[in-house]
Amino acid sequence: LLPRGAVTRTFDTPEFRGLTFHEVTCRSALNKVPDASPVPFRWTINPYRGCSYACSYCFARKTHENLDLDSGTDFDTQIVVKTNVGEVLRRELRRPSWAGEHIAMGTNVDCYQRAEGRYRLMPGILTALRDHANPFSILTKGTLILRDLDLLVQASEVTDVGISVSVGFTDPELWRTVEPGTPSPERRLDVVRALADLHRSRQLLDH
């Protein structure tokens, strides 16, 4: 079920047409990964639940059923937005019990999906991580990550930052069939080039 007090919105603009956003406040920003999981990290942040990228192979689809929504069309079009995630994360990073462990993002749903263009949750998250010099990584198919390059560079000056861009297909027909809501492979490869160019330029400056 959606949390009590959730605010439901739709926006009649081309980029958000057909999507419904459920704005909620979260009590925790950090998610503990089960100890039995083989992944090389133990903490994640998911500013959204559901994902408009609509990738047919997404393993996170079943999690929407916990909200009494279905794992098919609802997962693609009913997006839960944790509007206060940045402020909550900042409080959690200040806790004496927090050991500054690596935090992974983009492991469940994409944090740079279309909703991020409106809600701008990632700048608050990145600023908190930067201010606490907390290591993190991001996996995304979203070109919107380039908007936050300045914050990513600032964070990389004080802690370890990893960025991965997923490009599963370059065939246009396959892409439209399997990942219909994502930016095109060409646009994602442009993001890879921009990040690689930035990395090279910073290496040259360091030397």
Side-chain angles (χ1 to χ4, degrees), residues 103-116:
I103 298 170
M105 289 175 279
T107 60
N108 208 35
V109 296
D110 203 305
C111 48
Y112 282 105
Q113 61 177 287
R114 275 181 280 166
E116 176 61 16

Side-chain angles (χ1 to χ4, degrees), residues 119-135:
Y119 287 99
R120 299 181 61 86
L121 301 183
M122 286 301 291
I125 291 171
L126 295 176
T127 300
L129 293 168
R130 177 202 65 191
D131 292 350
H132 288 270
N134 203 105

Side-chain angles (χ1 to χ4, degrees), residues 16-44:
F16 299 127
R17 192 164 293 137
L19 301 179
T20 300
F21 300 99
H22 305 281
E23 299 175 359
V24 304
T25 55
C26 60
R27 289 180 292 180
S28 176
L30 292 167
N31 308 300
K32 180 73 162 59
V33 177
D35 291 336
S37 174
V39 297
F41 49 82
R42 287 291 167 260
W43 297 93
T44 66

Side-chain angles (χ1 to χ4, degrees), residues 146-163:
L146 295 181
R147 180 200 65 193
D148 293 339
L149 272 187
D150 287 347
L151 283 172
L152 292 166
V153 169
Q154 292 167 20
S156 72
E157 292 172 349
V158 296
T159 191
D160 292 331
V161 175
I163 301 173

